[in-house]
Amino acid sequence: IVLALQPATGPVVARVDPNQLDNAIINLTINARDALPSGGSLDIITTRVHVAGDAELSDGDYVELLVRDSGVGIPEDVLGSVFEPFFTTKPEGTGTGLGLAMIYGFAKQSGGIARIRSTLGKGTEVSMLLPASDDVAQADAAPTASTVHTGGGEHILVVEDMAQVREMVREILDVGGYACTTVGTVEDALRVLRSDTSVALLLTDVGLPGMSGRVLADHARVARPEMPILFMTGYAEKAVEKDTFLGTNMDMIMKPFRMEALLSKIRAMLGLSR
């Protein structure tokens, strides 16, 4: 897959939540990758545009974020349903059907809109129009080596069905000084938990195929009632009621997360268990 980034020639700042924007770009990029089983092109383009006379948008300046692929495309008869929750064109077990719905909801809540165009066999492009701002974007300072919380070799079990995310988390934990076992299925996770008493913390995605990460946590607690459990989720924070979702010695971190944020949360949870 040939990735081409085409940023606007001048500064463009969107008035949106940066973490939700990160999540939207990740979701769109994953969708594009999945639509390119034999390779192809993936373009990510940003421009600042002026909108007037659009029935779905207030007049004004917007940042357009366009993600375009040359992949398999979407049939015309289902194109109008792709932003609906739980609708998916992916094979059963390979998608939740929430990605595009979350992107559409994020754009609408931000005062913008998401739109899609696709031609079967020729590709798809998703456009997000997000309110523009004249403010200067404030970049978060990268964590320095002295601010990264490191562990002492504690064993962490990572359960994540997406290989790319699984390997990214493994690298973070290696840098953070933790021992790490990674698995992609609930069945493998339960097998490790039953056979390896050295696991100090369970780090699991919520949206696993088959059994959810929350149900996995309940099964894990049967054998290890005191083990801390940290959930990773890409769902919008407001969609998860933490008070009812989380049990004792459980916590949650929203995707995408920074290395420092994950290591800090793990350190705090392991401290509670000591």
Side-chain angles (χ1 to χ4, degrees), residues 14 29 78 97 99 111 142 147 153 181 186 200 209 240 249 270:
T29 305
V78 301
T147 66
T181 297
V186 169
V240 179
N249 207 10
L270 288 172

Side-chain angles (χ1 to χ4, degrees), residues 66-87:
L66 184 71
V67 178
R68 180 174 63 204
D69 66 70
S70 63
V72 296
I74 301 171
E76 186 177 354
D77 60 334
V78 301
L79 193 59
S81 303
V82 296
F83 288 129
E84 296 175 5
F86 303 107
F87 180 88

Side-chain angles (χ1 to χ4, degrees), residues 41 146 166 186 244:
S41 62
S146 62
R166 199 162 59 238
V186 169
T244 57

Side-chain angles (χ1 to χ4, degrees), residues 197-233:
T197 58
S198 72
V199 175
L201 181 142
L202 173 62
L203 175 60
T204 178
D205 188 29
V206 172
L208 297 169
M211 184 187 298
S212 73
R214 185 60 182 85
V215 177
L216 168 63
D218 289 337
H219 282 269
R221 282 287 172 88
V222 172
R224 305 285 300 280
E226 302 300 324
M227 183 176 61
I229 299 174
L230 178 59
F231 296 102
M232 303 177 286
T233 179

Side-chain angles (χ1 to χ4, degrees), residues 163-195:
Q164 296 94 330
V165 178
R166 199 162 59 238
E167 289 309 305
M168 179 196 72
V169 172
R170 178 198 287 276
E171 289 180 10
I172 292 174
L173 295 178
D174 285 346
V175 170
Y178 296 99
C180 182
T181 297
T182 61
V183 297
T185 68
V186 169
E187 292 77 15
D188 286 341
L190 291 173
R191 195 173 298 115
V192 172
L193 289 169
R194 293 185 189 115
S195 62

Side-chain angles (χ1 to χ4, degrees), residues 52-67:
D54 190 311
E56 296 182 287
L57 293 170
S58 301
D59 292 354
D61 289 340
Y62 292 82
V63 174
E64 182 178 30
L65 172 68
L66 184 71
V67 178

